[in-house]
């Protein structure tokens, strides 16, 4: 807990949310060249990727056509999966550089879902018309975004990596997120029963009453919060995990 506080975890998140909530563009370093040597396409994309949230990308119709042409490497008028995959990877990299925490080891699932959405006729390629039709893309819904983030955060909270979260592991995460006092605060209910916030949270998340929280239960329970809240708690999980890994090295 003290370690997390000393690293300014809460302040990191507050700075990020303060910037994003205004809708102002976030600072972006010039991205490195990608493995396909299509750095110009990525640079063009980075300058026009304006949406402050991770689930949308807003381009004009002309900009969309330019993006299509630059990622259509063999110039056959369609994006095959490997070409579209590079486009999605570049989008992910740009968003990651802008401080978004959605993408933690689940890139391929996101790419598959996004490709399926753009490939409207399901023929395995994205035609120019399909690509242009989605000039204001919603690659995934906010609900999907929350669930993807939480599924990744589960691995960070699951300290011993056995696929189940214990009450001690949940406490470690809640204390980093809320502080010790709020985590162990005694709550009173109508029946006058008293229980700590930690115990009540664990009880509600442990849907099958097994004494452990699995990934499905974790995602289902914590996705009830709004997108801003879920981003916050996931970021804390990722930062806590990163700090502990750094200490072991």
């Amino acid at each position: 807990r003290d370690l997390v506080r000393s690293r300014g975890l809460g302040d990191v998140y507050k700075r990020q949310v303060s910037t994003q909530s205004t809708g102002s563009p976030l600072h972006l370093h010039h991205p490195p060249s990608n493995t396909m040597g299509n750095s110009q396409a990525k640079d063009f994309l980075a300058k026009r990727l304006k949406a402050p949230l991770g689930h949308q990308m807003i381009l004009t119709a002309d900009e969309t056509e330019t993006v299509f042409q630059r990622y259509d490497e063999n110039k056959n008028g369609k994006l095959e999966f490997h070409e579209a995959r590079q486009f999605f990877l570049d989008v992910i990299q740009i968003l990651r550089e802008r401080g978004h925490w959605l993408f933690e080891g689940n890139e391929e699932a996101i790419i598959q879902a996004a490709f399926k959405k753009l490939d409207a006729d399901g023929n395995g390629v994205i035609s120019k018309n399909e690509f242009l039709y989605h000039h204001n893309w919603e690659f995934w819904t906010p609900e999907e975004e929350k669930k993807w983030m939480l599924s990744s955060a589960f691995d960070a909270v699951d300290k011993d990596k056995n696929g189940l979260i214990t009450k001690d592991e949940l406490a470690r995460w809640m204390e980093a997120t809320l502080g010790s006092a709020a985590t162990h605060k005694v709550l009173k209910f109508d029946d006058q029963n008293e229980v700590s916030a930690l115990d009540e949270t664990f009880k509600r998340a442990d849907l099958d009453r097994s004494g452990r929280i699995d990934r499905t239960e974790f995602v289902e329970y914590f996705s009830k919060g709004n997108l801003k809240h879920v981003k916050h708690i996931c970021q804390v999980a990722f930062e806590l995990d990163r700090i502990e890994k750094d200490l072991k090295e």
Side-chain angles (χ1 to χ4, degrees):
R1 243 179 4 252
D2 294 336
L3 171 64
V4 172
R5 288 173 182 152
S6 70
R7 295 295 181 98
L9 210 54
D11 292 338
V12 170
Y13 172 71
K14 288 175 183 176
R15 287 196 297 272
Q16 178 180 330
V17 170
S18 175
T19 306
Q20 290 183 351
S21 63
T22 63
S24 302
L26 304 184
H27 181 67
L28 174 65
H29 298 290
H30 292 294
S33 298
N34 59 41
T35 56
M36 293 183 68
N38 200 8
S39 60
Q40 289 184 339
K42 185 179 176 185
D43 289 343
F44 179 87
L45 187 61
K47 293 174 183 177
R48 289 157 179 81
L49 189 55
K50 307 180 181 74
L53 294 177
H55 66 280
Q56 278 193 331
M57 185 171 72
I58 301 172
L59 301 173
T60 67
D62 289 342
E63 289 170 344
T64 304
E65 183 161 3
T66 300
V67 169
F68 181 89
Q69 291 171 351
R70 295 197 179 194
Y71 283 91
D72 178 18
E73 290 194 328
N74 58 13
K75 306 306 176 188
N76 66 350
K78 59 190 74 171
L79 293 185
E80 297 167 14
F81 181 77
H82 73 278
E83 294 169 327
R85 182 176 181 274
Q86 187 60 49
F87 164 70
F88 295 131
L89 284 173
D90 285 348
V91 171
I92 288 172
Q93 182 63 30
I94 292 165
L95 291 174
R96 201 183 258 142
E97 290 170 357
R98 295 183 181 187
H100 294 288
W101 288 78
L102 169 59
F103 313 105
E104 294 288 333
N106 55 3
E107 293 92 341
E108 294 305 322
I110 291 171
I111 289 170
Q112 291 285 348
F115 184 86
K116 184 177 180 180
K117 186 173 181 107
L118 291 186
D119 179 20
D121 61 10
N123 68 346
V125 295
I126 299 172
S127 69
K128 188 173 182 180
N129 286 338
E130 287 172 330
F131 197 82
L132 294 180
Y133 180 76
H134 289 275
H135 63 272
N136 186 356
W137 291 289
E138 283 200 53
F139 289 127
W140 46 83
T141 67
E143 285 302 311
E144 289 173 323
E145 184 172 356
K146 288 192 296 184
K147 290 179 179 179
W148 272 324
M149 281 191 290
L150 286 164
S151 182
S152 294
F154 178 90
D155 294 320
V157 178
D158 178 20
K159 187 176 181 181
D160 61 9
K161 311 305 179 190
N162 70 344
L164 296 169
I165 291 174
T166 64
K167 188 178 289 187
D168 286 343
E169 289 171 330
L170 183 67
R172 162 181 165 269
W173 179 46
M174 287 182 63
E175 288 172 357
T177 307
L178 304 172
S180 180
T183 298
H184 300 283
K185 180 180 179 180
V186 174
L187 307 175
K188 291 185 178 181
F189 295 94
D190 293 339
D191 58 6
Q192 300 302 309
N193 286 338
E194 295 184 357
V195 62
S196 72
L198 169 63
D199 289 341
E200 184 65 16
T201 301
F202 190 86
K203 177 182 176 182
R204 294 187 182 190
D206 180 21
L207 299 176
D208 63 3
R209 301 294 183 262
S210 65
R212 300 287 189 274
I213 300 171
D214 63 27
R215 188 184 304 272
T216 300
E217 291 172 329
F218 182 85
V219 171
E220 181 174 341
Y221 178 73
F222 288 103
S223 64
K224 295 175 183 178
N226 62 39
L227 183 59
K228 179 178 176 181
H229 173 71
V230 170
K231 283 186 176 182
H232 170 40
I233 62 178
C234 289
Q235 181 180 6
V236 173
F238 299 142
E239 277 290 292
L240 182 61
D241 192 50
R242 181 186 63 78
I243 289 170
E244 292 185 341
K245 286 178 181 177
D246 288 345
L247 288 177
K248 291 178 181 178
E249 294 178 354

